[in-house]
Amino acid sequence: AEAEARLLLQEAQESIEAARSYRRELEQRLRGLQQAREQIRESATLTRDVLEQHFNDLKGTLKKLLDERLMSLLQEVDAIEQDSIKPLDECQKLIEHGVSTADDLLRDGESAVHGDVGQRNEKLCSFTKKALHIQLDSLPEVPSLVDVPCLSAQLDDCLLTILKNQIFSHGTVASRPPVQLEEFVEKPGGILVRWCKVDDDFIPQDYRLQYRKSTASHFEDVYVGSETEFIVLHIDPNVDYQFRVCARGDGRQEWSPWSVPQFGCTTLVPHEWTTGLEGYSLSSRRNIALRNDSQSCGVLYSKAPTYFCGQTLTFRQVLSGQLIETVGQPDRRDSLGVCVEQQNGYDSLQRDKAVCISTNGAVFVNGKEMTNQLPAVTSGSTVTFDMEVVQLGPCSNEGGNFKLRVTISSNNREVVFDWVLDQCCGSLYFGCSFSYPGWKVLVF
């Protein structure tokens, strides 16, 4: 009976735990539904605001354009009216002057005809000479009505039809953006953002990626191009950043609606070169090293062992995606690579407990040159290191056989080899050495 009671109690406890788990799952799904509802409502509210603002702007702009066009046409009417009336005013003045002259002449004539008989002949003679001088047969030309302007306005009613068709087809409402964010991959001091097309009928030409800190109010562009992934650098560790992406269709000028914003962050501290080595000048973030003209030489190491197996270590230029922005004179000791520990006193990474590539493309493992060779490192090169653990023997604090499979890529070519060490290495340093000034390297 006790065994049966214990069994029943155990089954009841299991059922209770299952019910709790079921309830937690339901609550999580309710939260998911609430988030979906909030997203629909927030996006609908935002879309309404955007539409109202856009059409209000269109109304204001259209009214302004119509007012400007009306003013232009009215000014054109005023100009034609003034230019056409001016010669008529001049002709009127000329006729009015003739009428006045004719009135004076008539008064003189009547005075001569009805005057004293003794002075009549003299007055008639003077009047006749005056009449001949005035040229009474010369009359000013008055234009006929068909020869003067008759203003009218020509207004094409088809404009309303065109505007109506354009307005009724202007703007669309999309329930889903054609592209969405797909994946965030942590990088040291950065985040690799990937996105994908979710609308099969949409043919993208360019993508536009924006981001902002969670505390910022405005997004800023970080990438515009045809790729579907981008590494966003200068990311502070353990800080949330919000990302969104949109696309521009083939042959179109306008951008699509934004994707659903998503948060991403990195827990990996950024790679930094160590300070204080006389032969190198560093950027403010200490991720760019420039070999200066100092006579001092040696290996410039990372500040800390921040490279972990399973990650990709990349050397490249800040803006153009190149490894080397400017290149100095090459030397056989020049190298880029990773190592187990910092060892001062060396002028190259071509030593024990290190793997590297020289600027002429030679690959060195523990100081020994391999037969396989990569292209030379020049302006425009990109070099990456990838490693995965292949353990040979027991690993403990006292050490043991330890093997890393290393892939070094440069200019679309790669070499793969095994790097055998006598101790476990959870993290590695990186470094570079250049004998002559002019070499400039970004690491991330």
Side-chain angles (χ1 to χ4, degrees):
E2 292 180 0
E4 184 178 356
R6 286 195 299 270
L7 180 60
L8 290 174
L9 179 61
Q10 180 180 355
E11 290 178 349
Q13 290 176 340
E14 290 176 352
S15 298
I16 291 173
E17 185 60 33
R20 287 174 178 168
S21 177
Y22 179 67
R23 189 175 188 278
R24 286 194 297 268
E25 288 292 332
L26 289 176
E27 290 175 345
Q28 183 175 355
R29 291 173 184 268
L30 282 175
R31 288 192 295 269
L33 286 174
Q34 183 63 27
Q35 291 175 351
R37 187 177 289 107
E38 290 176 357
Q39 177 174 302
I40 293 173
R41 287 175 176 170
E42 290 176 0
S43 63
T45 299
L46 178 61
T47 301
R48 291 189 192 97
D49 293 341
V50 169
L51 288 172
E52 289 176 358
Q53 183 63 45
H54 177 73
F55 277 87
N56 285 333
D57 292 343
L58 281 180
K59 290 177 185 177
T61 303
L62 185 59
K63 183 179 184 305
K64 181 180 178 182
L65 292 174
L66 289 174
D67 290 343
E68 289 178 355
R69 180 56 179 163
L70 174 59
M71 183 60 65
S72 175
L73 291 173
L74 291 177
Q75 290 174 352
E76 188 175 347
V77 171
D78 293 341
I80 295 175
E81 181 184 21
Q82 293 174 5
D83 292 343
S84 302
I85 291 294
K86 184 178 180 180
L88 298 182
D89 289 342
E90 294 176 351
C91 185
Q92 181 176 343
K93 291 179 181 179
L94 184 61
I95 292 175
E96 289 175 348
H97 177 71
V99 171
S100 177
T101 302
D103 288 341
D104 293 341
L105 187 61
L106 284 173
R107 284 193 295 270
D108 292 345
E110 290 176 353
S111 176
V113 172
H114 301 292
D116 296 337
V117 177
Q119 297 179 347
R120 181 181 300 175
N121 292 338
E122 182 180 352
K123 288 183 177 182
L124 288 174
C125 182
S126 175
F127 168 74
T128 304
K129 290 180 179 180
K130 186 176 181 180
L132 292 174
H133 179 72
I134 292 176
Q135 297 181 350
L136 295 176
D137 59 345
S138 177
L139 295 173
E141 185 72 23
V142 176
S144 62
L145 293 180
V146 296
D147 294 330
V148 298
C150 181
L151 279 70
S152 62
Q154 288 78 47
L155 301 174
D156 192 351
D157 291 339
C158 72
L159 175 63
L160 294 177
T161 303
I162 296 173
L163 287 176
K164 181 179 178 181
N165 293 334
Q166 290 294 325
I167 290 173
F168 283 171
S169 63
H170 179 67
T172 58
V173 176
S175 60
R176 291 180 179 82
V179 292
Q180 292 284 9
L181 295 168
E182 183 179 29
E183 184 182 15
F184 298 101
V185 180
E186 294 185 49
K187 295 291 181 180
I191 300 176
L192 172 61
V193 184
R194 292 193 175 102
W195 54 89
C196 63
K197 182 170 71 76
V198 295
D199 185 350
D200 294 336
D201 297 329
F202 184 78
I203 302 176
Q205 174 180 306
D206 292 308
Y207 298 99
R208 180 182 179 188
L209 178 66
Q210 289 189 337
Y211 82 128
R212 68 178 178 185
K213 262 188 179 181
S214 56
T215 56
S217 58
H218 299 290
F219 283 92
E220 60 180 275
D221 288 338
V222 68
Y223 173 76
V224 175
S226 59
E227 300 296 327
T228 56
E229 65 178 37
F230 183 76
I231 296 179
V232 183
L233 298 177
H234 309 319
I235 295 294
D236 296 330
N238 302 308
V239 174
D240 284 335
Y241 288 79
Q242 196 174 30
F243 297 85
R244 66 182 185 181
V245 67
C246 65
R248 181 162 50 198
D250 189 22
R252 305 295 294 270
Q253 294 296 322
E254 71 278 4
W255 292 100
S256 73
W258 290 105
S259 66
V260 176
Q262 296 188 36
F263 285 96
C265 71
T266 181
T267 59
L268 306 177
V269 297
H271 292 317
E272 295 182 9
W273 299 104
T274 190
T275 59
L277 190 60
E278 186 178 350
Y280 293 87
S281 303
L282 305 183
S283 64
S284 59
R285 289 182 174 265
R286 296 182 292 279
N287 58 345
I288 302 175
L290 172 65
R291 180 66 169 94
N292 55 38
D293 56 4
S294 172
Q295 296 300 317
S296 175
C297 61
V299 179
L300 177 65
Y301 293 102
S302 57
K303 179 181 178 181
T306 53
Y307 174 60
F308 296 88
C309 294
Q311 299 177 356
T312 297
L313 179 69
T314 305
F315 298 94
R316 122 182 145 185
Q317 185 199 357
V318 180
L319 297 178
S320 62
Q322 301 171 349
L323 163 66
I324 304 300
E325 181 181 284
T326 56
V327 293
Q329 180 181 349
D331 187 278
R332 59 179 300 273
R333 297 166 296 174
D334 295 345
S335 52
L336 292 159
V338 297
C339 56
V340 176
E341 58 191 7
Q342 296 178 346
Q343 293 185 9
N344 297 322
Y346 287 89
D347 60 0
S348 175
L349 278 175
Q350 300 168 15
R351 59 167 176 81
D352 188 33
K353 296 185 179 181
V355 293
C356 63
I357 175 177
S358 67
T359 52
N360 64 5
V363 177
F364 291 83
V365 182
N366 291 331
K368 297 181 180 179
E369 184 175 356
M370 297 182 61
T371 55
N372 293 335
Q373 185 163 334
L374 292 169
V377 176
T378 60
S379 177
S381 298
T382 299
V383 175
T384 61
F385 287 76
D386 291 276
M387 298 188 185
E388 60 178 337
V389 177
V390 182
Q391 190 172 315
L392 290 178
C395 181
S396 65
N397 293 333
E398 291 76 21
N401 291 329
F402 192 72
K403 181 169 66 174
L404 297 175
R405 184 149 297 157
V406 182
T407 301
I408 304 178
S409 302
S410 176
N411 291 343
N412 297 321
R413 290 179 57 186
E414 65 179 32
V415 294
V416 182
F417 56 89
D418 290 336
W419 180 23
V420 180
L421 300 169
D422 59 1
Q423 64 186 48
C424 295
C425 296
S427 59
L428 298 165
Y429 291 86
F430 56 86
C432 69
S433 60
F434 298 103
S435 300
Y436 298 99
W439 295 88
K440 187 175 184 181
V441 181
L442 162 73
V443 61
F444 66 91

